[in-house]
Amino acid sequence: MTHILHFGIAHTTHRHSTARAIGLNRLRGSFRVWLLMLLSAFVLTAWTPNVNAAARDLPDFSDLVEKAGPSVVNIRTIERVSSQQGMPGFPFPDMDENDPFFEFFRRFGVPRGAVPGQPQQPPQRRGSPNSGSEEVPRGVGSGFIIDSSGFILTNHHVVEGADEIIVTLTDKREFKAKVIGSDKRTDVALVKIEANGLAALKIGDPGKSKVGEWVLAIGSPFGLENTVTAGIISAKARDTGDFLPFIQTDVAVNPGNSGGPLLNMRGEVIGINSQIYSRTGGFMGISFAIPIDEAIRVQDQLRSKGRVVRGRIGVSIGEVGKEVAEALGMNRAQGALVRMVEKDGPADKAGVEAGDVIIRFDGKAIDKSSDLPRIVGGTSPGNRSVITVLRRGSNKDLAVVVAEIEPEKPATRKVQTNQPPATNSLGLSVSDLPEGRRKDTNGKGIVVDAVDTPASNADIRKGDIILSIGNTELQSAKTFNEIVAKLPSGKPVALLVWREGTASYKTLRPSSRAQ
């Protein structure tokens, strides 16, 4: 009995020990769960403000777009062509279909101004068979209202050569626009529509903008109206032209964006989207905008005079390199090196000589050679200015009377004539070397018939003989044009140019503009 009782007691004690162990395990498990919950709550509490802060730091463009959007317009242009010419075989009648710019469109089959993914129709022709001319769509661009009475800024290349300009507002109203003035050198155009009470954009100060600052563009890329893209300012004062220090951004800009505004976070326009750097014609992360302060100065003259009047002094200049600066005893590379002085020009009469380094103009410092054309160009013709040059180790002040730069000739309609063809991406029109000049270069090279930018910036002139491009010796204009058509935009190429018994290399960068 005792044995049985003892057994019973032993068995009961074992059950109680097992129960206590299970209870302790459950308690420990619960403790772990509560501990994990407390740690999770602590982590979430500490991390959530950072997430919220990051979300607050991200820009929100919605209010800005709502206010600025109605001031941005779509611009369509129409060209009248002879009915005997027929329709162009390429959907871009004003451009060379072999231009590398169009590789993007050929690849995807998207004509300019078209909406990807929708069936494409050939350009619509208007006009009767008896009228002798037909209307053909040329392209699509953008613009923005700067005055409530209907003045609109856009790019020169958007409206150049157009016979009719159609402006469409965001409320779908359409107006025929009149070109008040257009300036090719800065790529700025001012057009006017007959409307009142329009929403005009506020003009900002590009000088106060900072690299890394958020900006956005509104325009009609590929004809898609009211498209908004955003990015940052990548660089300022990029020298890609004679008269403009461009704003570089990484905002997505494509064909059709040209002429549209570049806006800061206050909704102020600080630039006009004008150019892109691209190997395909599509966006590659580098876009250029004309600073709005420069554009406003141009439009002021266009509105008052219909054209832009600029000053000139008659010199050909180059950059002062580090080695040249050191050889001349300069503390740093600066100024504009005078390579040539136009005979009987303003600079020649003032006593400027080849080899001089222009370091100041009217007291304004010339840090790099591209500063000089902008400063001189902004000086009124007839003004008596002072040029400070470095000559043989000494500074010398020379008085010069600024002349007027030759006005641009209006663009003429393309016709089949014996005139030189339109210039290519290097700004050159060339032909085979005539018999009378073959003895000059032993029959090698081709002759320059017409010059535009960027070739004119490299001091290439009509009548020069181009002996080679890159490592290719030239025997025919056809070979030259074939090579140029394949050059990537923006990549430098060297031309060996012969002039008056002397050969020298000229370095050019093929131009690229958003249309």
Side-chain angles (χ1 to χ4, degrees):
M1 188 72 175
T2 303
H3 177 73
I4 295 173
L5 179 63
H6 177 75
F7 178 79
I9 294 172
H11 180 72
T12 304
T13 304
H14 177 71
R15 284 191 313 186
H16 289 170
S17 299
T18 303
R20 282 198 300 271
I22 293 173
L24 286 173
N25 288 335
R26 287 177 178 173
L27 182 61
R28 291 192 190 101
S30 299
F31 178 75
R32 291 192 190 99
V33 171
W34 281 104
L35 181 61
L36 287 173
M37 290 177 65
L38 286 172
L39 287 172
S40 299
F42 175 77
V43 171
L44 287 172
T45 303
W47 184 66
T48 301
N50 293 330
V51 174
N52 292 336
R56 286 195 299 270
D57 289 340
L58 293 175
D60 182 355
F61 301 111
S62 56
D63 290 340
L64 189 159
V65 173
E66 186 176 351
K67 294 176 181 177
S71 302
V72 183
V73 304
N74 171 272
I75 296 178
R76 303 195 322 273
T77 56
I78 294 172
E79 179 183 358
R80 295 188 182 91
V81 299
S82 170
S83 58
Q84 296 179 349
Q85 281 184 253
M87 283 296 293
F90 196 68
F92 302 82
D94 59 330
M95 304 287 287
D96 179 8
E97 69 178 89
N98 295 316
D99 193 305
F101 175 86
F102 293 112
E103 180 60 29
F104 177 87
F105 299 97
R106 282 193 291 267
R107 191 178 305 160
F108 294 99
V110 182
R112 185 185 341 182
V115 180
Q118 292 187 0
Q120 305 304 325
Q121 300 296 328
Q124 297 297 311
R125 296 187 293 181
R126 292 189 294 176
S128 65
N130 298 325
S131 66
S133 66
E134 296 171 347
E135 295 180 349
V136 179
R138 288 186 66 253
V140 176
S142 306
F144 56 95
I145 301 165
I146 59 169
D147 190 300
S148 60
S149 60
F151 285 96
I152 295 169
L153 274 182
T154 186
N155 284 144
H156 163 83
H157 72 267
V158 170
V159 299
E160 181 184 19
D163 292 304
E164 187 174 322
I165 301 169
I166 308 297
V167 169
T168 305
L169 306 184
T170 54
D171 60 10
K172 303 305 179 183
R173 286 185 294 166
E174 288 192 351
F175 299 86
K176 286 187 178 182
K178 174 185 177 182
V179 176
I180 302 300
S182 190
D183 182 54
K184 183 176 182 179
R185 288 187 172 97
T186 55
D187 198 22
V188 173
L190 180 68
V191 301
K192 175 77 164 60
I193 61 175
E194 295 303 319
N196 291 296
L198 300 176
L201 279 180
K202 293 181 179 179
I203 305 299
D205 183 358
K208 295 180 180 179
S209 300
K210 298 178 181 179
V211 174
E213 179 180 331
W214 280 99
V215 286
L216 75 158
I218 307 179
S220 304
F222 306 110
L224 302 171
E225 300 178 19
N226 309 121
T227 297
V228 181
T229 52
I232 62 169
I233 295 177
S234 304
K236 295 174 63 177
R238 284 294 193 210
D239 288 316
T240 61
D242 276 344
F243 298 99
L244 289 173
F246 284 90
I247 301 170
Q248 180 186 331
T249 76
D250 69 348
V251 178
V253 171
N254 286 290
N257 270 117
S258 280
L262 183 70
L263 302 165
N264 61 23
M265 289 297 288
R266 293 179 294 278
E268 301 166 336
V269 57
I270 60 170
I272 304 176
N273 297 309
S274 175
Q275 299 185 18
I276 59 174
Y277 173 81
S278 176
R279 296 178 184 274
T280 63
F283 173 65
M284 294 187 69
I286 298 180
S287 309
F288 298 101
I290 302 165
I292 194 62
D293 53 351
E294 301 280 355
I296 290 297
R297 280 194 283 271
V298 170
Q299 79 88 32
D300 286 342
Q301 290 200 54
L302 293 177
R303 194 183 295 204
S304 61
K305 304 174 184 177
R307 67 184 184 93
V308 178
V309 177
R310 292 188 177 88
R312 63 182 291 271
I313 57 175
V315 293
S316 174
I317 59 174
E319 201 71 42
V320 178
K322 183 179 179 180
E323 292 182 355
V324 172
E326 185 178 347
L328 295 177
M330 303 172 67
N331 294 328
R332 63 185 180 92
Q334 62 173 326
L337 176 64
V338 178
R339 299 170 57 190
M340 183 201 70
V341 181
E342 177 187 314
K343 186 177 180 180
D344 295 327
D348 186 28
K349 294 176 181 178
V352 177
E353 300 176 2
D356 286 347
V357 177
I358 299 176
I359 56 177
R360 282 192 298 275
F361 187 89
D362 270 346
K364 301 181 181 72
I366 308 298
D367 289 324
K368 48 189 182 296
S369 62
S370 57
D371 292 338
L372 185 65
R374 286 196 287 271
I375 295 173
V376 174
T379 305
S380 300
N383 188 71
R384 189 176 181 84
S385 300
V386 176
I387 301 175
T388 302
V389 302
L390 174 65
R391 180 185 299 170
R392 290 182 284 277
S394 301
N395 291 352
K396 190 177 183 65
D397 289 338
L398 304 171
V400 62
V401 178
V402 178
E404 181 181 347
I405 200 168
E406 183 180 352
E408 296 175 358
K409 296 179 180 179
T412 56
R413 185 70 56 219
K414 295 178 184 178
V415 292
Q416 296 296 327
T417 68
N418 293 325
Q419 296 297 321
T423 58
N424 51 35
S425 63
L426 295 181
L428 289 169
S429 171
V430 299
S431 61
D432 294 340
L433 201 62
E435 286 293 336
R437 300 195 63 185
R438 288 184 176 276
K439 60 181 181 180
D440 296 336
T441 58
N442 295 323
K444 299 177 181 179
I446 56 176
V447 66
V448 176
D449 296 324
V451 181
D452 199 347
T453 55
S456 58
N457 296 339
D459 191 34
I460 296 179
R461 309 176 204 168
K462 180 179 179 181
D464 286 349
I465 295 176
I466 302 176
L467 300 176
S468 66
I469 177 170
N471 295 320
T472 304
E473 190 175 81
L474 295 171
Q475 298 288 348
S476 70
K478 180 181 178 182
T479 300
F480 177 79
N481 289 327
E482 288 174 350
I483 294 174
V484 173
K486 298 176 182 178
L487 291 176
S489 300
K491 186 176 181 179
V493 60
L495 305 184
L496 182 59
V497 178
W498 187 94
R499 180 192 301 160
E500 298 177 357
T502 303
S504 61
Y505 279 102
K506 309 289 185 182
T507 303
L508 297 81
R509 292 180 184 271
S511 61
S512 174
R513 286 180 175 172
Q515 294 297 315

